[in-house]
Each structure stands twice: as C-alpha cells, then as structure tokens.
Amino acid sequence: QQQVKQSPQSLIVQKGGISIINCAYENTAFDYFPWYQQFPGKGPALLIAIRPDVSEKKEGRFTISFNKSAKQFSLHIMDSQPGDSATYFCAAHGGTSYGKLTFGQGTILTVHP
Amino acid sequence: ETGVTQSPTHLIKTRGQQVTLRCSSQSGHNTVSWYQQALGQGPQFIFQYYREEENGRGNFPPRFSGLQFPNYSSELNVNALELDDSALYLCASSFGGGEQETQYFGPGTRLLVL
C-alpha cells in the first residue's frame, strides 16, 4: 500500500512532441505529490508538485494532472526538447512514515532532435 | 542562498567497514532526510531528522544511523557495510519537520562496497 507505481519505464519522443508519464498510488494518506528530474550523476531536482485538492497544475511546459478518485496522477511535458532527456520520478509524501517521500521506479525520457 | 551540499562525492569501502556521510542543509532549512538510491531505482527513504531528533524512519536496519547538529547539518553512519549498501546516498533538506514541505536534494555521495 506504500508503493507508487510509475509507467512507462522508458519513453522516446521526438523534439516538439508531448511526453506523458503516469503514476498510481494506493495509500489515501499521501498528501503531496512532487515530480523530480534527475540527470546522470546528479541529485533529483524538483520540477513541479501538486496537492490532492487540485486537479491540474501547470508551470511553463510542465503540467500535472491529478485524479483523486482514481488515485492516479501524470506529468505532461509539452514541446519536449533534447535538454529534457533525463530520468523522471514521481513521488508521494506522507503515508505511514512521517516526512517520507515514496518514489516511483522512474522513467527514462529520451527526446530525439 | 546556498543549496544542499554533500561530502564526499565518491567513496570506496570494503565489506564490514563503517562509513560516515555528511550533508549541509540549504540555508533556512531545519529538516534533513536521507535516501538510498540503488542503480536504476527510485530513492528509498532511510530516515528524517528535525531539530536534532529522528522524525521518521524507513525500512532500514539499525546499522544505519544518523545525527543532526545544531546548525542543521547532518551525518549518515552505516556500520558493518554489506555489498548491497553500494548506492547513491542522497540528502534532502526542507523546512517544517515533515509537513507538506518541498524537499530539495543534494548531489549525493556514491558509495561502492567491495
């Protein structure tokens, strides 16, 4: 019940296309859902985050869609660029361990020029 | 504003040894969380420190221990190292002691256990 399931494992998109990454969770005690971007050899960097009382949040080319009843949320990257090529992790905050972020398995995004 | 820093960047140890990793939190932050990231996996929560006390712990054995100092910097100690401890160890800082706060990650320490 503490898991966050992320798909797909890898994604290849052409420059200018839309990248979509999906996550699903079971624990309704999760109270905050961030997305992180990680480049090789670096720590994860916060991209965008959403709280469960909001259905959508947009920041620049990045949008989170949140479906509380389905316990699913997704990241959409519009006009994908080669510089977006990285590993993306969804995460969920809270649950059984206070302060904890539970991460998905990650999606390796490759954007071809 | 100074971001989260970690030291050392890389470390090689042998099985059975002990290791100490260090983290300096971002300016203004009073909470530090530690994560272990195995190759090709998402980070796994080890524990969190808030106001120098452990404030939550993940599914890691007691040989993983930590400290937080009055300046909010932190150490992660791992005793009796095992081969499976080889991973990227990430420190994240935040403000609020576990509330819905954003966690900012450092670059990590890459530990290799031989």
Side-chain angles (χ1 to χ4, degrees):
Chain A
Q1 206 183 23
Q2 276 297 102
Q3 285 184 329
V4 176
K5 296 182 180 179
Q6 183 172 345
S7 63
Q9 283 187 316
S10 62
L11 181 61
I12 298 174
V13 172
Q14 292 297 316
K15 179 182 175 182
I18 303 173
S19 304
I20 301 174
I21 304 170
N22 302 298
C23 286
Y25 64 97
E26 288 296 324
N27 191 337
T28 55
F30 289 141
D31 56 13
Y32 172 72
F33 300 87
W35 284 88
Y36 285 87
Q37 178 190 58
Q38 187 175 29
F39 292 103
K42 304 291 186 182
L46 179 70
L47 205 55
I48 187 172
I50 199 167
R51 304 196 190 282
D53 54 347
V54 176
S55 61
E56 185 175 282
K57 183 174 181 180
K58 183 176 181 179
E59 290 184 1
R61 296 186 294 111
F62 302 93
T63 300
I64 300 178
S65 297
F66 191 88
N67 186 329
K68 189 174 180 179
S69 60
K71 291 184 279 188
Q72 296 176 347
F73 58 110
S74 60
L75 175 69
H76 296 233
I77 305 174
M78 312 299 288
D79 187 27
S80 298
Q81 299 296 313
D84 296 331
S85 297
T87 301
Y88 292 81
F89 292 96
C90 62
H93 175 270
T96 58
S97 189
Y98 194 62
K100 169 184 177 179
L101 283 176
T102 300
F103 283 82
Q105 291 297 301
T107 296
I108 301 172
L109 172 64
T110 303
V111 181
H112 284 158
Chain B
E1 183 180 279
T2 306
V4 180
T5 60
Q6 292 186 243
S7 63
T9 54
H10 295 83
L11 204 52
I12 300 175
K13 291 285 188 178
T14 56
R15 195 170 46 183
Q17 284 189 312
Q18 178 265 342
V19 68
T20 297
L21 310 181
R22 296 177 176 82
C23 170
S24 292
S25 59
Q26 186 168 314
S27 176
H29 287 177
N30 58 12
T31 304
V32 172
S33 305
W34 286 92
Y35 293 81
Q36 180 194 65
Q37 186 177 23
L39 204 59
Q41 303 292 318
Q44 298 288 316
F45 178 75
I46 303 174
F47 42 56
Q48 183 180 83
Y49 277 84
Y50 172 60
R51 294 181 176 176
E52 302 178 56
E53 297 286 333
E54 188 178 290
N55 188 42
R57 189 178 183 93
N59 190 27
F60 279 81
R63 59 189 186 84
F64 285 79
S65 63
L67 284 172
Q68 187 179 33
F69 300 100
N71 67 353
Y72 305 125
S73 66
S74 177
E75 286 183 355
L76 165 65
N77 299 290
V78 186
N79 292 321
L81 283 167
E82 301 177 359
L83 298 180
D84 284 349
D85 295 334
S86 295
L88 180 68
Y89 287 86
L90 295 162
C91 163
S93 81
S94 55
F95 181 83
E99 296 293 333
Q100 293 178 2
E101 82 287 8
T102 300
Q103 296 185 18
Y104 296 91
F105 284 83
T109 294
R110 174 75 62 187
L111 172 65
L112 177 62
V113 182
L114 300 176

